[in-house]
Amino acid sequence: MKKAVNRSLVFAVLFLCMSAIVTPASSVVETPLTGKYRGINVYFMNQDPDPADAGKDVELRWRVVVAKVGKIDNLEFYLDADYPFLFEAGDGPLKSLGTVVATGTVEHYYVLYYRLRVADNALKGEYNVSLRWRDGEGGWTRKYFTLRVDPERPDFVIGAVRTSPERLVEDTDEALLKVEVSNIGDGDAENVKARLTLPPGFNASYAYSDEDALGTIKEDESKTAHFYIDTIEGLEAGEYNANLTLTYKEEDDEENEYRTKILPFKIPIKRSPYLVIDSVETVPPVVHPDTDVSLLIRVKNTGSEEADAVSLRVFKDSTQPFEYDEKSDFVGKLKPGETGEALIRLKVKEDAAAKKYLIDVELRGVETNTDRVVIFSRTAPLRVYPKEKVIPVLPIGAVVVALGGAAGAWHLLRRMK
């Protein structure tokens, strides 16, 4: 008999302990239960999976304990869940447990179930949801809970951005742009392709030079995309916004779906001197074959930095009919917007064809702030005109004789008429 009583006591204690169990869950705020239904308690049982994964479903369960003696005609609950959670089709935030009758002899408990969809672009973090139920007096009682999301999928960020040449400036052709792509997510990305979107002032150097295939980027690994770009003349120094568009497949994706992510980054353009030929004059103004010519070339710094020790040098071209007495000249220091002059002396050959020639010129200077040598290839135009026609000059006596003969012939003709 004592054994039976002891066994009953043990079962009673175990039942009371089980009734008091609350599955660990983060309940950050609890509104005091008041009113007619103050005997209702809600405990979060679990989320499955925990943490939830982006783009997939998560199941939520609560244990609803009714300790209030009496009848509740319609016990309703409403789940408030914002981003990144979505209600699946056919399901909604309002749930009803129907009529509940509590006798008071034992606590009545029910399982409240919800199924939510986690947004595809959900980020890792903790998100609050609230569950509320009617208090029987026209209001609601609310309780907050925290759900965890940790997407098991690739995620990308831009790492180092490098250029070659290291200092990217205006009017540069085929500059190498290297952009590091890091996978900081929880899964591998397969068949990753990168496409570069450039701001105004930049162009792809040639077809497909703004695209690169990176293959597989594993979790916690990085790969570098390589592009070739041009910058236009007159591009001001500063940082320019560009975008890198990645397309990829998630590892073990049964739907074999390609995903896209756009990553913004900046391309730096440095301050630099920029030397151009502003104008060309010749002495004499009209150049003919077999002529000595002084070529006055004005050099201008249109860049954003001062250039020191600016000089000009002409490259002799064997196909051009020129012999140079002086092929180089020193210009000096040029601040941004300033102009200097260089003088080149040459001889136009006697058999030079009449046409416009483009003489290859190199402009060289030193960037004052960095001591970096800058070199620019330019052309200077020189037009050669045809040889002047020489009109023979007769002696005065010969002219008088010719005129007299012409007059005599004219009078003779008149008599014959």
Side-chain angles (χ1 to χ4, degrees):
M1 181 69 177
K2 289 182 179 180
K3 291 182 179 180
V5 172
N6 291 337
R7 188 179 295 111
S8 299
L9 289 173
V10 170
F11 281 122
V13 171
L14 289 174
F15 178 81
L16 290 174
C17 291
M18 291 295 294
S19 299
I21 289 176
V22 179
T23 302
S26 178
S27 178
V28 294
V29 177
E30 181 174 345
T31 304
L33 301 177
T34 58
K36 181 178 178 181
Y37 297 164
R38 61 182 178 272
I40 298 174
N41 293 287
V42 177
Y43 306 100
F44 187 52
M45 297 176 66
N46 70 296
Q47 71 170 79
D48 182 25
D50 185 9
D53 190 6
K56 297 182 180 180
D57 291 343
V58 58
E59 296 179 352
L60 310 176
R61 289 180 174 82
W62 282 269
R63 185 181 185 196
V64 180
V65 178
V66 182
K68 174 72 177 180
V69 176
K71 179 182 178 183
I72 302 174
D73 292 327
N74 186 20
L75 183 55
E76 290 183 326
F77 292 86
Y78 195 96
L79 179 64
D80 290 300
D82 297 324
Y83 173 88
F85 303 109
L86 307 169
F87 287 95
E88 291 280 47
D91 200 358
L94 184 64
K95 298 277 188 179
S96 176
L97 297 181
T99 300
V100 174
V101 180
T103 62
T105 56
V106 64
E107 289 185 335
H108 293 259
Y109 69 90
Y110 305 84
V111 174
L112 186 64
Y113 170 85
Y114 282 93
R115 186 183 184 92
L116 299 177
R117 182 78 171 183
V118 185
D120 289 342
N121 59 349
L123 303 177
K124 179 179 180 180
E126 294 185 343
Y127 300 87
N128 289 332
V129 298
S130 67
L131 189 66
R132 52 191 171 101
W133 56 94
R134 298 190 182 278
D135 60 11
E137 297 178 349
W140 294 84
T141 299
R142 185 187 299 271
K143 199 171 183 179
Y144 290 88
F145 305 89
T146 300
L147 306 180
R148 293 183 296 172
V149 174
D150 189 1
E152 294 183 2
R153 59 177 48 185
D155 192 17
F156 301 98
V157 295
I158 295 291
V161 177
R162 300 183 179 89
T163 62
S164 179
E166 185 177 349
R167 289 177 56 85
L168 188 60
V169 298
E170 61 171 307
D171 194 23
T172 301
D173 293 333
E174 296 187 17
L176 175 60
L177 175 66
K178 296 183 287 186
V179 183
E180 184 182 46
V181 179
S182 300
N183 182 359
I184 61 171
D186 295 326
D188 297 347
E190 299 175 344
N191 201 19
V192 181
K193 296 180 180 179
R195 180 170 53 83
L196 181 64
T197 302
L198 292 167
F202 298 78
N203 297 294
S205 297
Y206 45 84
Y208 306 110
S209 69
D210 55 354
E211 299 179 7
D212 198 7
L214 303 180
T216 297
I217 305 180
K218 295 185 177 181
E219 178 183 346
D220 296 327
E221 287 189 353
S222 301
K223 284 193 175 181
T224 300
H226 294 75
F227 309 102
Y228 288 91
I229 62 174
D230 301 337
T231 60
I232 66 170
E233 181 180 347
L235 186 64
E236 296 183 357
E239 292 188 330
Y240 291 81
N241 295 321
N243 287 324
L244 190 67
T245 301
L246 300 177
T247 57
Y248 62 95
K249 292 192 301 183
E250 295 179 5
E251 183 185 24
D252 301 327
D253 182 6
E254 296 179 356
E255 298 178 358
N256 200 31
E257 179 183 359
Y258 275 91
R259 301 183 181 274
T260 301
K261 183 158 188 177
I262 299 176
L263 301 174
F265 69 100
K266 295 183 181 297
I267 303 177
I269 296 297
K270 303 297 184 181
R271 295 171 61 89
S272 175
Y274 190 76
L275 305 177
V276 299
I277 292 179
D278 190 48
S279 64
V280 177
E281 292 183 11
T282 62
V283 179
V286 179
V287 177
H288 300 283
D290 195 23
T291 304
D292 292 321
V293 179
S294 293
L295 201 62
L296 183 65
I297 303 175
R298 291 185 176 88
V299 179
K300 186 173 183 178
N301 181 5
T302 63
S304 54
E305 286 289 338
E306 184 178 72
D308 197 7
V310 176
S311 63
L312 178 147
R313 183 175 63 161
V314 170
F315 291 98
K316 183 178 179 180
D317 186 342
S318 61
T319 65
Q320 294 180 341
F322 307 130
E323 293 291 341
Y324 291 93
D325 297 328
E326 297 176 7
K327 293 193 296 184
S328 64
D329 196 13
F330 184 76
V331 178
K333 181 181 294 185
L334 292 179
K335 294 180 180 179
E338 283 189 339
T339 302
E341 295 179 343
L343 185 63
I344 302 298
R345 300 182 188 278
L346 58 89
K347 170 82 171 182
V348 181
K349 294 181 180 180
E350 187 176 359
D351 60 350
K355 68 174 186 177
K356 179 180 178 180
Y357 295 89
L358 296 177
I359 301 173
D360 289 331
V361 173
E362 178 187 88
L363 302 179
R364 181 185 292 261
V366 178
E367 188 175 307
T368 304
N369 293 333
T370 63
D371 291 333
R372 182 175 64 94
V373 176
V374 291
I375 300 174
F376 303 90
S377 296
R378 307 295 186 215
T379 57
L382 175 57
R383 177 171 290 280
V384 176
Y385 292 87
K387 287 184 178 182
E388 293 179 315
K389 292 184 179 180
V390 179
I391 300 176
V393 179
L394 297 176
I396 295 177
V399 173
V400 172
V401 171
L403 290 175
W410 181 76
H411 285 293
L412 179 61
L413 288 174
R414 290 195 63 181
R415 290 194 192 101
M416 292 176 63
K417 290 180 179 181

